[in-house]
Coordinates of all heavy atoms in Angstrom, one line a residue:
M1 N 197.1 224.5 159.9 CA 196.5 224.1 158.6 C 195.1 223.7 158.8 O 194.7 222.9 159.7 CB 197.3 222.9 158.0 CG 196.8 222.5 156.7 SD 198.0 221.2 156.0 CE 197.0 220.6 154.7
D2 N 194.2 224.1 157.9 CA 192.8 223.9 158.1 C 192.4 222.6 157.3 O 192.4 222.6 156.1 CB 192.0 225.1 157.5 CG 190.5 224.9 157.6 OD1 190.0 223.9 158.2 OD2 189.8 225.7 157.0
N3 N 192.2 221.5 158.0 CA 191.9 220.2 157.4 C 190.4 220.1 157.0 O 190.1 219.2 156.3 CB 192.2 219.1 158.3 CG 193.7 218.9 158.4 OD1 194.4 219.2 157.5 ND2 194.2 218.4 159.6
S4 N 189.6 221.0 157.3 CA 188.1 220.9 157.0 C 187.9 221.0 155.5 O 187.0 220.4 155.0 CB 187.3 222.0 157.7 OG 187.7 223.3 157.2
I5 N 188.8 221.6 154.7 CA 188.7 221.7 153.3 C 188.9 220.3 152.7 O 188.1 219.8 151.9 CB 189.8 222.6 152.7 CG1 189.6 224.0 153.1 CG2 189.8 222.5 151.2 CD1 190.7 225.0 152.8
Y6 N 189.8 219.5 153.3 CA 190.1 218.1 152.8 C 188.9 217.2 153.2 O 188.5 216.4 152.4 CB 191.4 217.6 153.3 CG 192.5 218.4 152.9 CD1 193.3 219.2 153.7 CD2 192.9 218.4 151.5 CE1 194.3 220.0 153.3 CE2 194.0 219.2 151.1 CZ 194.7 220.0 152.0 OH 195.7 220.7 151.5
L7 N 188.4 217.4 154.4 CA 187.2 216.6 154.8 C 186.0 216.8 153.9 O 185.4 215.9 153.4 CB 186.8 217.0 156.2 CG 185.6 216.2 156.8 CD1 185.8 214.7 156.8 CD2 185.3 216.7 158.2
D8 N 185.7 218.1 153.5 CA 184.6 218.4 152.6 C 184.9 217.8 151.3 O 183.9 217.3 150.6 CB 184.4 219.9 152.5 CG 183.8 220.5 153.8 OD1 183.3 219.7 154.7 OD2 183.9 221.7 154.0
E9 N 186.1 217.9 150.8 CA 186.4 217.3 149.4 C 186.2 215.8 149.5 O 185.7 215.2 148.5 CB 187.9 217.7 149.1 CG 188.3 217.2 147.7 CD 189.7 217.6 147.4 OE1 190.0 218.8 147.4 OE2 190.5 216.7 147.1
A10 N 186.6 215.1 150.5 CA 186.5 213.7 150.6 C 185.1 213.3 150.8 O 184.7 212.2 150.3 CB 187.3 213.2 151.8
R11 N 184.2 214.1 151.4 CA 182.8 213.7 151.6 C 181.9 214.1 150.5 O 180.8 213.6 150.3 CB 182.3 214.4 152.9 CG 182.8 213.8 154.2 CD 182.2 214.5 155.4 NE 181.1 215.4 155.1 CZ 180.7 216.3 156.0 NH1 181.2 216.3 157.2 NH2 179.7 217.1 155.7
E12 N 182.4 215.0 149.6 CA 181.5 215.6 148.6 C 180.9 214.5 147.7 O 179.7 214.5 147.5 CB 182.3 216.5 147.7 CG 181.5 217.1 146.6 CD 182.2 218.0 145.6 OE1 183.4 218.2 145.8 OE2 181.6 218.5 144.7
P13 N 181.7 213.5 147.2 CA 181.0 212.4 146.4 C 179.9 211.7 147.2 O 178.9 211.3 146.6 CB 182.1 211.5 146.0 CG 183.4 212.3 146.1 CD 183.1 213.3 147.2
L14 N 180.1 211.5 148.5 CA 179.1 210.8 149.3 C 177.8 211.7 149.4 O 176.7 211.1 149.3 CB 179.7 210.5 150.6 CG 180.9 209.6 150.7 CD1 181.4 209.5 152.1 CD2 180.7 208.3 150.0
I15 N 178.0 212.9 149.5 CA 176.8 213.9 149.6 C 176.1 213.9 148.3 O 174.8 213.8 148.3 CB 177.3 215.3 150.0 CG1 177.8 215.3 151.5 CG2 176.2 216.3 149.9 CD1 178.6 216.5 151.8
I16 N 176.8 213.9 147.2 CA 176.2 213.8 145.9 C 175.5 212.5 145.7 O 174.3 212.5 145.1 CB 177.2 214.1 144.8 CG1 177.6 215.6 144.9 CG2 176.7 213.8 143.4 CD1 178.7 216.0 144.0
A17 N 176.1 211.4 146.1 CA 175.4 210.1 145.9 C 174.1 210.1 146.7 O 173.1 209.5 146.2 CB 176.4 209.0 146.5
E18 N 174.1 210.6 147.9 CA 172.9 210.7 148.7 C 171.8 211.5 147.9 O 170.6 211.0 147.9 CB 173.2 211.4 150.0 CG 172.0 211.4 150.9 CD 172.3 212.0 152.3 OE1 173.1 213.0 152.3 OE2 171.7 211.5 153.3
G19 N 172.2 212.6 147.3 CA 171.2 213.4 146.5 C 170.7 212.6 145.3 O 169.5 212.6 145.0
W20 N 171.6 211.9 144.6 CA 171.2 211.1 143.5 C 170.2 210.0 143.9 O 169.2 209.8 143.2 CB 172.4 210.5 142.8 CG 173.2 211.4 142.0 CD1 173.0 212.7 141.8 CD2 174.4 211.1 141.2 NE1 174.0 213.3 141.0 CE2 174.9 212.3 140.6 CE3 175.1 209.9 141.0 CZ2 176.0 212.3 139.8 CZ3 176.2 209.9 140.2 CH2 176.7 211.1 139.6
M21 N 170.4 209.4 145.0 CA 169.6 208.3 145.5 C 168.2 208.9 145.9 O 167.2 208.3 145.6 CB 170.2 207.6 146.7 CG 171.4 206.7 146.2 SD 172.3 206.0 147.6 CE 171.1 204.9 148.2
K22 N 168.2 210.1 146.5 CA 166.9 210.8 146.8 C 166.1 211.1 145.6 O 164.9 211.1 145.6 CB 167.2 212.0 147.7 CG 167.5 211.7 149.1 CD 167.8 213.0 149.9 CE 168.2 212.7 151.3 NZ 168.5 213.9 152.0
D23 N 166.8 211.3 144.4 CA 166.2 211.6 143.2 C 165.7 210.3 142.5 O 165.3 210.4 141.3 CB 167.1 212.4 142.2 CG 167.4 213.8 142.7 OD1 166.6 214.3 143.5 OD2 168.4 214.4 142.3
G24 N 165.9 209.2 143.1 CA 165.5 207.9 142.5 C 166.5 207.2 141.6 O 166.1 206.2 141.0
K25 N 167.7 207.7 141.6 CA 168.7 207.0 140.8 C 169.3 205.8 141.5 O 169.5 205.8 142.7 CB 169.8 208.0 140.4 CG 169.4 209.2 139.5 CD 170.5 210.1 139.2 CE 170.1 211.2 138.3 NZ 171.2 212.0 137.8
D26 N 169.7 204.8 140.7 CA 170.5 203.7 141.2 C 171.9 204.1 141.2 O 172.4 204.7 140.2 CB 170.3 202.4 140.3 CG 168.9 201.9 140.4 OD1 168.3 201.9 141.5 OD2 168.4 201.4 139.4
V27 N 172.7 203.9 142.3 CA 174.0 204.4 142.4 C 175.0 203.4 142.9 O 174.6 202.6 143.8 CB 174.0 205.6 143.4 CG1 175.4 206.2 143.6 CG2 173.0 206.7 142.9
A28 N 176.2 203.4 142.4 CA 177.3 202.6 142.9 C 178.4 203.5 143.4 O 178.5 204.7 143.0 CB 177.8 201.7 141.9
I29 N 179.2 203.0 144.3 CA 180.3 203.8 144.8 C 181.6 202.9 144.6 O 181.6 201.7 144.9 CB 180.2 204.2 146.3 CG1 181.3 205.1 146.7 CG2 180.0 203.1 147.2 CD1 181.1 205.9 148.0
A30 N 182.6 203.5 144.1 CA 183.9 202.9 144.0 C 184.9 203.6 145.0 O 184.9 204.8 145.1 CB 184.5 203.1 142.6
T31 N 185.6 202.8 145.8 CA 186.5 203.3 146.8 C 187.8 202.7 146.7 O 188.0 201.5 146.5 CB 185.9 202.9 148.2 OG1 184.6 203.4 148.3 CG2 186.8 203.6 149.3
V32 N 188.9 203.5 146.7 CA 190.2 203.1 146.7 C 190.5 202.4 148.0 O 190.4 203.1 149.1 CB 191.3 204.2 146.4 CG1 192.7 203.7 146.5 CG2 191.0 204.9 145.1
V33 N 190.8 201.1 148.1 CA 191.0 200.4 149.3 C 192.4 200.0 149.6 O 192.8 199.7 150.7 CB 190.1 199.1 149.4 CG1 188.6 199.5 149.4 CG2 190.4 198.2 148.3
E34 N 193.3 200.1 148.5 CA 194.7 199.8 148.7 C 195.5 200.4 147.6 O 195.0 200.5 146.5 CB 194.8 198.2 148.7 CG 196.0 197.7 149.5 CD 195.9 196.2 149.6 OE1 194.8 195.6 149.6 OE2 197.0 195.6 149.8
T35 N 196.7 200.8 147.9 CA 197.6 201.4 146.9 C 199.0 200.8 147.2 O 199.4 200.5 148.3 CB 197.7 202.9 146.9 OG1 198.2 203.3 148.2 CG2 196.3 203.5 146.7
W36 N 199.8 200.7 146.1 CA 201.2 200.4 146.2 C 202.0 201.3 145.3 O 201.5 201.6 144.2 CB 201.4 199.0 145.7 CG 200.8 197.9 146.4 CD1 201.2 197.2 147.5 CD2 199.5 197.3 146.1 NE1 200.3 196.2 147.9 CE2 199.2 196.3 147.1 CE3 198.5 197.6 145.2 CZ2 198.1 195.6 147.1 CZ3 197.3 196.9 145.2 CH2 197.1 195.9 146.1
G37 N 203.1 201.8 145.7 CA 204.0 202.6 144.9 C 203.3 203.9 144.6 O 202.6 204.5 145.4
S38 N 203.6 204.4 143.4 CA 203.1 205.7 143.0 C 201.6 205.6 142.6 O 201.3 205.1 141.5 CB 203.9 206.3 141.8 OG 203.4 207.5 141.3
A39 N 200.7 206.0 143.4 CA 199.3 205.9 143.1 C 198.7 207.3 143.0 O 199.1 208.2 143.8 CB 198.6 205.2 144.3
P40 N 197.8 207.5 142.0 CA 197.3 208.9 141.8 C 196.4 209.4 142.8 O 196.2 210.6 143.0 CB 196.6 208.7 140.4 CG 196.4 207.3 140.2 CD 197.4 206.6 141.0
R41 N 195.6 208.5 143.5 CA 194.7 209.0 144.6 C 194.9 208.1 145.8 O 195.2 207.0 145.7 CB 193.2 208.8 144.1 CG 192.9 209.6 142.8 CD 192.7 211.1 143.0 NE 191.5 211.3 143.9 CZ 191.4 212.3 144.7 NH1 192.4 213.2 144.9 NH2 190.3 212.4 145.4
P42 N 194.7 208.7 147.0 CA 194.9 208.0 148.2 C 193.8 207.0 148.6 O 192.7 207.1 148.1 CB 195.0 209.1 149.3 CG 194.2 210.2 148.7 CD 194.4 210.1 147.2
V43 N 194.1 206.1 149.5 CA 193.1 205.2 150.0 C 192.0 206.0 150.6 O 192.2 207.1 151.2 CB 193.7 204.3 151.1 CG1 192.6 203.5 151.9 CG2 194.7 203.3 150.5
G44 N 190.7 205.6 150.3 CA 189.6 206.3 150.8 C 189.0 207.2 149.7 O 187.9 207.8 149.9
S45 N 189.6 207.4 148.6 CA 189.1 208.2 147.5 C 187.9 207.6 146.9 O 187.8 206.3 146.8 CB 190.1 208.5 146.4 OG 191.2 209.2 147.0
H46 N 186.9 208.4 146.6 CA 185.6 207.8 146.1 C 185.2 208.3 144.7 O 185.5 209.5 144.3 CB 184.4 208.2 147.0 CG 184.5 207.7 148.4 ND1 184.4 206.4 148.7 CD2 184.7 208.4 149.5 CE1 184.5 206.3 150.0 NE2 184.7 207.5 150.5
L47 N 184.6 207.4 143.9 CA 183.9 207.8 142.7 C 182.5 207.2 142.8 O 182.3 206.1 143.1 CB 184.7 207.1 141.5 CG 184.1 207.3 140.1 CD1 184.3 208.8 139.6 CD2 184.8 206.4 139.1
I48 N 181.5 208.1 142.5 CA 180.2 207.6 142.5 C 179.7 207.6 141.1 O 180.1 208.4 140.2 CB 179.2 208.5 143.4 CG1 179.2 209.9 142.9 CG2 179.6 208.3 144.8 CD1 178.0 210.7 143.3
I49 N 178.8 206.6 140.8 CA 178.4 206.3 139.4 C 176.9 206.0 139.4 O 176.4 205.3 140.3 CB 179.1 205.1 138.8 CG1 180.7 205.3 138.9 CG2 178.7 204.9 137.4 CD1 181.3 204.6 140.1
D50 N 176.1 206.5 138.5 CA 174.7 206.2 138.4 C 174.6 205.2 137.2 O 175.5 204.9 136.5 CB 173.8 207.4 138.3 CG 173.8 208.1 136.9 OD1 174.4 207.6 136.0 OD2 173.2 209.2 136.9
A51 N 173.4 204.6 137.1 CA 173.1 203.6 136.1 C 173.3 204.1 134.6 O 173.5 203.3 133.7 CB 171.7 203.0 136.3
E52 N 173.2 205.4 134.4 CA 173.4 205.9 133.1 C 174.9 206.2 132.8 O 175.2 206.7 131.7 CB 172.6 207.2 132.9 CG 171.1 207.0 132.8 CD 170.5 206.8 134.1 OE1 170.8 207.5 135.1 OE2 169.7 205.8 134.3
G53 N 175.8 206.0 133.7 CA 177.2 206.2 133.5 C 177.7 207.6 133.9 O 178.8 207.9 133.7
N54 N 176.8 208.4 134.5 CA 177.2 209.7 135.1 C 178.1 209.4 136.3 O 177.8 208.5 137.0 CB 176.0 210.6 135.4 CG 175.2 210.9 134.2 OD1 175.6 211.4 133.3 ND2 173.9 210.5 134.3
F55 N 179.1 210.2 136.5 CA 180.0 210.0 137.7 C 180.5 211.3 138.3 O 180.5 212.3 137.6 CB 181.1 209.0 137.3 CG 182.1 209.6 136.3 CD1 183.2 210.2 136.6 CD2 181.8 209.3 134.9 CE1 184.1 210.7 135.7 CE2 182.7 209.8 134.0 CZ 183.8 210.5 134.3
H56 N 180.9 211.2 139.5 CA 181.5 212.3 140.2 C 182.6 211.8 141.2 O 182.4 210.7 141.8 CB 180.4 213.1 141.0 CG 181.0 214.2 141.7 ND1 181.2 215.5 141.1 CD2 181.4 214.4 143.0 CE1 181.7 216.3 142.0 NE2 181.8 215.7 143.1
G57 N 183.7 212.5 141.3 CA 184.8 212.1 142.2 C 185.9 211.5 141.3 O 185.9 211.6 140.1
S58 N 186.8 210.8 142.0 CA 187.9 210.2 141.3 C 188.6 209.1 142.2 O 188.7 209.3 143.4 CB 189.0 211.3 141.0 OG 190.1 210.7 140.4
V59 N 189.0 208.0 141.5 CA 189.7 207.0 142.2 C 191.2 206.9 141.6 O 192.0 206.2 142.1 CB 189.1 205.6 142.1 CG1 187.8 205.6 142.9 CG2 188.8 205.2 140.7
S60 N 191.4 207.6 140.5 CA 192.7 207.5 139.9 C 193.2 208.8 139.2 O 194.1 208.7 138.3 CB 192.6 206.4 138.8 OG 191.9 206.8 137.7
G61 N 192.6 209.9 139.5 CA 193.0 211.1 138.8 C 192.7 211.1 137.3 O 193.2 211.8 136.5
G62 N 191.8 210.2 136.9 CA 191.3 210.2 135.5 C 191.8 209.0 134.7 O 191.3 208.7 133.6
C63 N 192.8 208.3 135.2 CA 193.4 207.3 134.3 C 192.7 206.0 134.2 O 192.9 205.3 133.2 CB 194.9 207.1 134.6 SG 195.3 206.7 136.3
V64 N 191.9 205.6 135.1 CA 191.1 204.3 135.0 C 189.6 204.5 135.2 O 188.9 203.6 135.3 CB 191.6 203.2 136.0 CG1 193.1 202.9 135.7 CG2 191.4 203.6 137.4
E65 N 189.2 205.8 135.3 CA 187.8 206.0 135.6 C 186.8 205.4 134.6 O 185.8 204.8 135.0 CB 187.5 207.6 135.6 CG 187.4 208.1 137.0 CD 188.8 208.3 137.7 OE1 189.8 208.0 137.1 OE2 188.8 208.6 138.9
G66 N 187.1 205.4 133.3 CA 186.3 204.8 132.3 C 186.0 203.3 132.6 O 184.9 202.8 132.5
A67 N 187.1 202.6 132.9 CA 186.9 201.1 133.3 C 186.1 200.9 134.5 O 185.3 200.0 134.6 CB 188.3 200.5 133.4
V68 N 186.3 201.8 135.5 CA 185.6 201.7 136.8 C 184.1 202.0 136.6 O 183.3 201.3 137.1 CB 186.2 202.6 137.9 CG1 185.4 202.6 139.2 CG2 187.7 202.2 138.2
V69 N 183.8 203.0 135.8 CA 182.4 203.3 135.5 C 181.7 202.1 134.8 O 180.6 201.8 135.2 CB 182.3 204.6 134.6 CG1 180.9 204.8 134.1 CG2 182.7 205.8 135.4
S70 N 182.4 201.5 133.8 CA 181.8 200.4 133.1 C 181.5 199.2 134.1 O 180.4 198.6 134.1 CB 182.8 199.9 132.1 OG 182.3 198.8 131.4
E71 N 182.5 198.9 135.0 CA 182.3 197.9 136.0 C 181.2 198.2 137.0 O 180.4 197.4 137.4 CB 183.6 197.6 136.7 CG 184.7 197.0 135.9 CD 184.4 195.5 135.5 OE1 183.6 194.9 136.1 OE2 185.1 195.1 134.5
A72 N 181.1 199.5 137.3 CA 180.1 200.0 138.3 C 178.7 199.8 137.7 O 177.8 199.4 138.5 CB 180.3 201.4 138.7
I73 N 178.5 200.0 136.4 CA 177.2 199.8 135.8 C 176.8 198.4 135.9 O 175.6 198.0 136.2 CB 177.2 200.3 134.4 CG1 177.3 201.9 134.4 CG2 175.9 199.9 133.6 CD1 177.5 202.5 133.0
D74 N 177.8 197.4 135.7 CA 177.5 196.0 135.9 C 177.1 195.7 137.4 O 176.2 194.9 137.6 CB 178.7 195.2 135.6 CG 179.0 195.1 134.1 OD1 178.1 195.5 133.3 OD2 180.1 194.8 133.7
V75 N 177.8 196.4 138.3 CA 177.5 196.2 139.8 C 176.1 196.7 140.1 O 175.3 196.0 140.8 CB 178.6 196.9 140.6 CG1 178.1 197.0 142.1 CG2 179.9 196.1 140.5
I76 N 175.7 197.8 139.5 CA 174.3 198.3 139.7 C 173.3 197.3 139.2 O 172.3 197.0 139.9 CB 174.2 199.7 139.1 CG1 175.0 200.8 139.8 CG2 172.7 200.1 139.0 CD1 175.1 202.1 139.1
D77 N 173.6 196.8 138.0 CA 172.6 195.8 137.4 C 172.5 194.5 138.2 O 171.5 194.0 138.4 CB 173.0 195.5 135.9 CG 172.8 196.7 135.0 OD1 172.0 197.6 135.4 OD2 173.4 196.7 133.9
S78 N 173.7 194.0 138.6 CA 173.7 192.7 139.3 C 173.5 192.7 140.8 O 173.1 191.8 141.4 CB 175.1 192.0 139.0 OG 176.1 192.6 139.7
G79 N 173.9 193.9 141.4 CA 173.8 194.0 142.8 C 175.0 193.3 143.5 O 175.1 193.3 144.7
K80 N 176.0 192.7 142.7 CA 177.1 192.0 143.3 C 178.3 192.9 143.2 O 178.7 193.4 142.2 CB 177.4 190.8 142.5 CG 176.2 189.7 142.6 CD 176.5 188.5 141.7 CE 177.4 187.6 142.6 NZ 177.6 186.3 141.9
A81 N 178.9 193.2 144.4 CA 180.1 194.0 144.5 C 181.3 193.4 143.8 O 181.4 192.1 143.6 CB 180.5 194.3 146.0
K82 N 182.3 194.2 143.4 CA 183.5 193.7 142.7 C 184.7 194.4 143.3 O 184.7 195.6 143.7 CB 183.5 194.0 141.2 CG 182.4 193.3 140.4 CD 182.6 193.6 139.0 CE 181.6 192.9 138.1 NZ 181.7 193.2 136.7
M83 N 185.8 193.7 143.3 CA 187.1 194.2 143.7 C 187.9 194.3 142.4 O 188.1 193.3 141.7 CB 187.9 193.3 144.7 CG 189.2 193.9 145.1 SD 189.1 195.4 146.2 CE 188.5 194.6 147.7
L84 N 188.4 195.5 142.0 CA 189.1 195.8 140.8 C 190.6 196.1 141.2 O 190.8 196.7 142.2 CB 188.5 196.9 140.0 CG 187.0 196.9 139.7 CD1 186.6 198.2 139.1 CD2 186.7 195.7 138.9
E85 N 191.5 195.7 140.3 CA 192.9 196.0 140.6 C 193.5 196.5 139.3 O 193.3 195.9 138.2 CB 193.6 194.8 141.1 CG 195.0 195.1 141.5 CD 195.7 193.9 142.2 OE1 195.0 193.1 142.8 OE2 196.9 193.8 142.2
F86 N 194.2 197.6 139.4 CA 194.9 198.2 138.2 C 196.4 198.5 138.6 O 196.7 198.9 139.7 CB 194.3 199.5 137.8 CG 192.8 199.4 137.5 CD1 191.8 199.7 138.4 CD2 192.4 199.0 136.2 CE1 190.5 199.6 138.1 CE2 191.1 198.9 135.9 CZ 190.1 199.2 136.8
G87 N 197.3 198.2 137.6 CA 198.7 198.4 137.9 C 199.4 198.2 136.6 O 199.0 197.6 135.7
V88 N 200.7 198.6 136.6 CA 201.5 198.5 135.3 C 201.8 197.1 135.0 O 202.2 196.8 133.9 CB 202.7 199.4 135.4 CG1 202.4 200.9 135.4 CG2 203.6 199.0 136.5
A89 N 201.7 196.2 136.0 CA 202.0 194.8 135.7 C 200.9 194.1 134.9 O 201.0 193.0 134.4 CB 202.4 194.0 137.0
D90 N 199.7 194.7 134.9 CA 198.5 194.2 134.3 C 198.3 194.9 133.0 O 198.3 196.1 132.9 CB 197.4 194.5 135.3 CG 196.0 194.0 134.7 OD1 196.0 193.5 133.6 OD2 195.0 194.2 135.5
E91 N 198.3 194.1 131.9 CA 198.1 194.7 130.6 C 196.9 195.6 130.4 O 197.0 196.6 129.8 CB 198.0 193.6 129.5 CG 199.4 192.9 129.2 CD 199.2 192.0 128.0 OE1 198.3 192.2 127.2 OE2 200.0 191.0 128.0
T92 N 195.8 195.2 131.2 CA 194.7 196.1 131.1 C 194.9 197.5 131.7 O 194.3 198.4 131.3 CB 193.4 195.4 131.8 OG1 193.7 195.2 133.1 CG2 193.1 194.1 131.1
A93 N 195.8 197.5 132.6 CA 196.1 198.8 133.2 C 196.7 199.8 132.2 O 196.4 201.0 132.1 CB 197.1 198.7 134.4
W94 N 197.6 199.3 131.3 CA 198.1 200.1 130.3 C 197.0 200.5 129.3 O 197.0 201.6 128.8 CB 199.2 199.4 129.5 CG 200.5 199.3 130.3 CD1 201.0 198.2 131.0 CD2 201.4 200.4 130.6 NE1 202.1 198.6 131.6 CE2 202.4 199.9 131.4 CE3 201.5 201.7 130.2 CZ2 203.5 200.6 131.8 CZ3 202.5 202.5 130.6 CH2 203.5 202.0 131.4
Q95 N 196.1 199.6 129.0 CA 195.0 199.9 128.1 C 194.1 201.0 128.6 O 193.7 201.9 127.9 CB 194.1 198.7 127.9 CG 194.9 197.6 127.1 CD 194.1 196.3 127.1 OE1 192.9 196.2 127.5 NE2 194.7 195.2 126.5
V96 N 193.9 201.1 130.0 CA 193.1 202.1 130.5 C 193.9 203.3 131.0 O 193.3 204.3 131.5 CB 192.2 201.6 131.6 CG1 191.2 200.6 131.1 CG2 192.9 201.1 132.8
G97 N 195.2 203.2 130.9 CA 196.0 204.4 131.1 C 196.7 204.6 132.5 O 197.2 205.6 132.8
L98 N 196.8 203.5 133.3 CA 197.4 203.6 134.6 C 198.9 203.4 134.4 O 199.4 202.3 134.5 CB 196.9 202.7 135.6 CG 197.4 202.8 137.0 CD1 197.1 204.2 137.6 CD2 196.9 201.7 137.9
S99 N 199.6 204.4 134.0 CA 201.1 204.3 133.7 C 201.9 205.0 134.7 O 203.1 205.2 134.5 CB 201.3 204.8 132.3 OG 200.9 206.2 132.3
C100 N 201.4 205.3 135.9 CA 202.1 206.0 136.9 C 203.1 205.2 137.7 O 203.9 205.7 138.5 CB 201.2 206.7 137.9 SG 200.1 205.5 138.7
G101 N 203.1 203.8 137.4 CA 204.1 203.0 138.1 C 203.6 202.3 139.3 O 204.2 201.4 139.9
G102 N 202.4 202.7 139.8 CA 201.8 202.1 141.0 C 200.7 201.1 140.7 O 200.5 200.7 139.6
R103 N 200.1 200.7 141.8 CA 198.9 199.8 141.7 C 197.8 200.3 142.6 O 198.1 200.8 143.7 CB 199.3 198.3 142.1 CG 200.3 197.7 141.1 CD 200.8 196.3 141.6 NE 199.7 195.3 141.5 CZ 199.3 194.7 140.4 NH1 199.9 195.1 139.2 NH2 198.4 193.8 140.4
I104 N 196.6 200.1 142.2 CA 195.5 200.4 143.1 C 194.5 199.3 143.1 O 194.3 198.6 142.1 CB 194.8 201.7 142.7 CG1 194.2 201.7 141.3 CG2 195.7 202.9 142.8 CD1 193.4 202.9 140.9
K105 N 193.8 199.1 144.2 CA 192.7 198.2 144.4 C 191.5 199.1 144.6 O 191.5 200.0 145.5 CB 192.8 197.3 145.5 CG 193.5 196.0 145.2 CD 193.3 194.9 146.3 CE 194.0 193.7 145.9 NZ 193.9 192.7 147.0
V106 N 190.4 198.9 143.9 CA 189.2 199.7 144.0 C 188.0 198.7 144.3 O 187.8 197.8 143.5 CB 188.9 200.5 142.7 CG1 187.6 201.3 142.8 CG2 190.1 201.4 142.4
Y107 N 187.3 199.0 145.3 CA 186.1 198.2 145.7 C 184.9 198.9 145.2 O 184.7 200.1 145.5 CB 186.0 198.0 147.2 CG 184.9 197.1 147.6 CD1 184.9 195.7 147.4 CD2 183.8 197.6 148.3 CE1 183.9 194.9 147.8 CE2 182.7 196.8 148.7 CZ 182.8 195.4 148.4 OH 181.8 194.6 148.8
V108 N 184.0 198.2 144.4 CA 182.8 198.8 143.8 C 181.6 198.1 144.3 O 181.5 196.9 144.3 CB 182.8 198.7 142.2 CG1 181.7 199.4 141.7 CG2 184.1 199.3 141.7
E109 N 180.7 198.9 144.9 CA 179.4 198.3 145.5 C 178.3 199.2 145.2 O 178.4 200.4 145.0 CB 179.6 198.1 147.0 CG 179.8 199.4 147.7 CD 180.1 199.2 149.2 OE1 179.5 198.3 149.8 OE2 181.0 199.9 149.7
R110 N 177.1 198.6 145.1 CA 175.9 199.3 144.9 C 175.4 199.9 146.2 O 175.6 199.3 147.3 CB 174.8 198.3 144.3 CG 173.5 199.0 144.0 CD 172.5 198.1 143.5 NE 171.2 198.7 143.4 CZ 170.3 198.6 142.4 NH1 170.6 197.7 141.5 NH2 169.2 199.2 142.4
L111 N 174.9 201.1 146.2 CA 174.4 201.7 147.4 C 172.8 201.5 147.4 O 172.2 201.5 146.4 CB 174.7 203.2 147.4 CG 176.2 203.6 147.5 CD1 176.3 205.1 147.4 CD2 176.8 203.1 148.7
G112 N 172.3 201.5 148.6 CA 170.9 201.4 148.8 C 170.3 200.0 148.7 O 170.9 199.0 148.6

């Protein structure tokens, strides 16, 4: 099995973040740091976000990206990293659509 495809897919958001930063954009990165149960994306998955709310990658297969993007814009503005947690036991998880039965922790930090 050729694992280079998966390596390139995992690195792609980081490469794009580097390009955005070279273009003068303020950028944050969200990384899945922990999962429990049925989680849509594995630990190490990345979502990059710029100050305008543009994003690339995924931390949840689409079900909590909107909430993560919103928090990432705050992180870009404040410079203070945040740990986010989503799961079915948390009412906000249902509001943002994480209904897969698992839980995820996402660390969001500003780059640069």
